[in-house]
Amino acid sequence: MLEALADPRALTEEQEHAHALYAAGRYGGMIFISGNWEMAPHPEAEIKMSDIASQGRPERAGWLTFLRRKR
């Protein structure tokens, strides 16, 4: 499973470490820091509601708007 979380694009150890922190935080894992296990920080959201919500009419936001009844 750890190999599945490895980043094949990482060229340096710092890039690999950053990706390992991201993967641990994304999947709710723990990291070993200076002799203690700690919860990994949860990464920033990749998609936010402001990205898909319409500014004028927030009640019409979402990706299933085509299913709503037209008036």
Side-chain angles (χ1 to χ4, degrees):
M1 181 174 161
L2 291 176
E3 284 184 20
L5 296 176
D7 187 8
R9 300 167 295 176
L11 300 176
T12 65
E13 189 173 325
E14 290 81 22
Q15 290 174 334
E16 187 65 41
H17 181 72
H19 181 74
L21 284 177
Y22 169 80
R26 180 89 169 104
Y27 299 111
M30 298 182 81
I31 52 177
F32 193 71
I33 299 177
S34 64
N36 295 323
W37 286 98
E38 298 178 10
M39 289 299 296
H42 193 68
E44 190 67 30
E46 296 172 7
I47 300 175
K48 299 179 178 131
M49 282 303 291
S50 61
D51 296 338
I52 60 172
S54 62
Q55 299 298 325
R57 297 171 58 189
E59 69 277 0
R60 302 282 298 163
W63 62 281
L64 293 176
T65 56
F66 62 91
L67 293 176
R68 291 199 179 109
R69 196 180 230 172
K70 305 280 191 255
R71 292 184 191 194

